[in-house]
Amino acid sequence: MGHRVGRVLITGEEIAGRIQELAGAVAHDYAEKDPVLVGVLKGAVVFLADLIRAADIPITLDFVELSSYGAGTGSSGLVEIISDLSGSIENRHVLIVEDIIDTGRTAHYLRRNLESRHPASLRLCALLNKAGRREIVVEIDYVGFTIPNEFVVGYGLDFMAHYRNLPYIAVLEPEPAGPEPGGSLALQDLE
Ligand code: PRP
């Protein structure tokens, strides 16, 4: 069965408004700290790009790419680093930027991993918090939206590597039976 982009959960305008608030808090808290913002590839890039342009303070950027073993919409719980930071974070004020915290396993792993590199401080900022899916308690210092337990795409979040470029966050839903003239893209069409 194919899938399609369904109901819009958070509009682009709502995202933009919330990012202004988050960026204001980050700018206030890190004004004199020259933080390094660590974007978690790939999902966080859209959020990170908007967040840093709304935070009018000196910052630097770095990236890490992580992978959970297993396929589909679930998480097996095993996390590994595919691509590591380009520089040291020792004695730096580090803010991890994530698109979504789901089971919490990725954020838990990354927090512990980065903590072992002796940053001056370490916090986590996530656009979305799917709190109902949490398996490991993880402290999230800045949260954009808490969302229900639905599979969402857009604004950096993908399904089978697609939909990251949607300027809003929507629920992914099964393609209804029968032809749909002018309907949304079905993933089966991409394979
Ligand atoms: C997503 C998301 C988080 C993680 C959250 O990444 O960006 O990193 O899953 O899930 P968890 O709380 O259950 O660990 P994904 O592995 O889908 O890679 P992507 O960012 O490239 O889409």
Side-chain angles (χ1 to χ4, degrees):
M1 179 186 292
H3 291 75
R4 69 173 187 177
V5 176
R7 172 172 50 93
V8 173
L9 196 62
I10 310 172
T11 67
E13 290 74 19
E14 289 170 331
I15 296 169
R18 186 68 183 123
I19 287 179
Q20 287 294 328
E21 295 174 350
L22 290 174
V26 168
H28 173 268
D29 295 349
Y30 288 93
E32 309 296 330
K33 295 182 173 174
D34 189 21
V36 52
L37 272 59
V38 173
V40 183
L41 297 172
K42 308 182 176 72
V45 291
V46 180
F47 173 43
L48 179 67
D50 284 346
L51 183 71
I52 60 174
R53 285 179 292 173
D56 188 20
I57 58 167
I59 62 127
T60 63
L61 283 181
D62 210 339
F63 295 91
V64 64
E65 185 166 10
L66 303 172
S67 175
S68 299
Y69 285 102
T73 57
S75 167
S76 66
L78 291 173
V79 182
E80 68 173 355
I81 293 180
I82 297 174
S83 176
D84 205 351
L85 299 176
S86 63
S88 169
I89 56 168
E90 189 169 1
N91 296 323
R92 296 292 306 275
H93 292 280
V94 176
L95 180 61
I96 301 167
V97 179
E98 265 284 25
D99 53 345
I100 186 169
I101 308 299
D102 191 341
T103 66
R105 292 187 182 279
T106 303
H108 176 76
Y109 170 86
L110 187 57
R111 263 190 177 278
R112 287 184 52 171
N113 184 291
L114 297 188
E115 197 69 67
S116 73
R117 307 184 199 192
H118 308 295
S121 69
L122 181 61
R123 288 182 177 170
L124 171 63
C125 175
L127 179 65
L128 304 177
N129 177 22
K130 200 186 278 187
R133 288 259 302 169
R134 198 62 33 82
E135 294 176 9
I136 295 183
V137 175
V138 58
E139 187 177 349
I140 312 174
D141 302 282
Y142 305 89
V143 179
F145 302 91
T146 297
I147 62 169
N149 187 12
E150 297 183 277
F151 195 91
V152 291
V153 295
Y155 205 76
L157 291 111
D158 75 306
F159 174 66
M160 295 178 70
H162 289 83
Y163 301 129
R164 294 192 198 273
N165 55 319
L166 297 178
Y168 50 82
I169 291 167
V171 176
L172 190 75
E173 62 183 31
E175 189 78 30
E180 260 221 338
S184 303
L185 182 68
L187 260 293
Q188 63 197 8
D189 297 334
L190 297 170
E191 296 169 342

